[in-house]
Amino acid sequence: MQQRKMPILKSPREIQIMREAGRIVARVHAAMREAVRPGISTWELDQIAVEVMQKYNATSAFLGYRGYPAHICTSINEELVHGIPSKERVLRAGDIISIDVGVRYRGFIGDSAWTYAVGEVSQEAQQLMAVTEACLYAGIEQARVGNRIVDISRSIQWYVEEHGFHVVREYTGHGVGRQMHEPPQVLNYVSNDVDGNYVIQPGLVIAIEPMVQQGTWQTRTLSDNWTVVSADGSLAAHYEHTVAITHNGPEILTLP
């Protein structure tokens, strides 16, 4: 029988620190939103992110994590997650780029991802981004005391599939705190996984992060052993917030 690892509930003081970490993440994303344009390299975006983190006495939670070689993840078009910034990878008009930002601040993690349009993008790309962002908030709405993790999963999957897109299976949301990945696992689709039945309690902090693709839910990993792409080469999008569950409902920590 599969053993469930119990989530580590956070105290109000710990959530306050995580809120500060989340605000730093939000400031990095504000800088990304301003910087994303045709002609900029993903390496330059990485350096801008470092400058913001350093300004607020935070460090990248990604650099060195399982050997990851950069400060943020930059995934373009069919790339879903874990794209590595480089000087050679330059954004072009019509691209979409998913930027995942994780910071460590006073021992705690803040984690958030967003997908940005580079100049004018196709209607299909706009719809994919809109649906993925909306399903994130549909999932957050279900992150309430007394609900189960599967209620988050179900709302995300239903919204995505209702709009004709596909929820990725291999990569999921997760608990977050002093570690990047803590229990429970937060799937973006309904499954009989052991964490799905976990009853949400105040003090739980989770990263809710739907990953959605245009043509298939399947993925593959490139030869760099990091960059994950859609199996059919169709567009992919990724949105994520760190969310604390309180008696008053879900509180998004990765907002300005």
Side-chain angles (χ1 to χ4, degrees):
M1 186 174 183
Q2 189 177 0
Q3 186 72 27
R4 175 194 289 169
K5 294 182 179 179
M6 294 307 294
I8 303 166
L9 301 181
K10 310 302 186 293
S11 69
R13 176 183 169 278
E14 289 172 324
I15 290 175
Q16 178 61 38
I17 296 172
M18 294 191 72
R19 187 180 293 113
E20 291 302 317
R23 285 175 180 151
I24 297 168
V25 171
R27 291 178 181 121
V28 175
H29 273 293
M32 296 296 97
R33 189 174 293 109
E34 187 174 321
V36 165
R37 64 183 184 277
I40 195 169
S41 72
T42 52
W43 180 85
E44 290 174 283
L45 295 175
D46 189 78
Q47 296 308 298
I48 292 169
V50 172
E51 290 174 6
V52 177
M53 292 178 197
Q54 290 177 342
K55 181 178 179 181
Y56 295 101
N57 299 312
T59 59
S60 169
F62 296 167
L63 180 65
Y65 182 77
R66 297 181 179 175
Y68 185 74
H71 300 86
I72 61 175
C73 299
T74 53
S75 307
I76 301 171
N77 295 333
E78 76 280 3
E79 298 172 356
L80 175 70
V81 288
H82 306 158
I84 301 171
S86 74
K87 293 180 179 179
E88 291 71 35
R89 198 70 193 275
V90 174
L91 299 186
R92 299 174 300 178
D95 286 340
I96 62 173
I97 178 170
S98 298
I99 301 178
D100 196 355
V101 177
V103 308
R104 183 176 294 278
Y105 175 75
R106 293 176 59 189
F108 286 91
I109 303 292
D111 192 8
S112 175
W114 219 253
T115 302
Y116 300 98
V118 184
E120 294 293 323
V121 301
S122 68
Q123 186 173 351
E124 292 80 7
Q126 291 177 38
Q127 186 181 15
L128 174 66
M129 293 166 63
V131 167
T132 310
E133 181 179 357
C135 79
L136 167 63
Y137 289 105
I140 292 171
E141 177 62 27
Q142 296 300 316
R144 296 181 178 276
V145 174
N147 278 0
R148 297 178 186 270
I149 293 295
V150 72
D151 295 317
I152 299 172
S153 309
R154 182 182 297 108
S155 63
I156 290 171
Q157 182 178 17
W158 181 87
Y159 193 94
V160 171
E161 294 180 351
E162 180 76 7
H163 289 83
F165 293 106
H166 303 270
V167 175
V168 170
R169 279 13 181 208
E170 295 97 330
Y171 303 92
T172 71
H174 49 88
V176 63
R178 291 187 181 274
Q179 303 299 321
M180 176 76 69
H181 295 104
E182 298 181 352
Q185 189 175 51
V186 184
L187 300 183
N188 296 311
Y189 62 98
V190 175
S191 169
N192 61 356
D193 76 302
V194 67
D195 286 348
N197 284 324
Y198 175 77
V199 178
I200 296 170
Q201 301 176 52
L204 181 68
V205 181
I206 52 179
I208 300 176
E209 54 177 322
M211 293 168 235
V212 179
Q213 296 181 158
Q214 197 174 31
T216 178
W217 61 264
Q218 295 175 307
T219 65
R220 61 186 180 89
T221 303
L222 298 185
S223 59
D224 62 12
N225 293 320
W226 279 107
T227 308
V228 177
V229 301
S230 61
D232 64 351
S234 62
L235 291 175
H238 177 201
Y239 286 76
E240 173 188 23
H241 271 311
T242 299
V243 180
I245 286 75
T246 74
H247 286 292
N248 296 321
E251 179 183 346
I252 300 173
L253 302 183
T254 39
L255 289 176

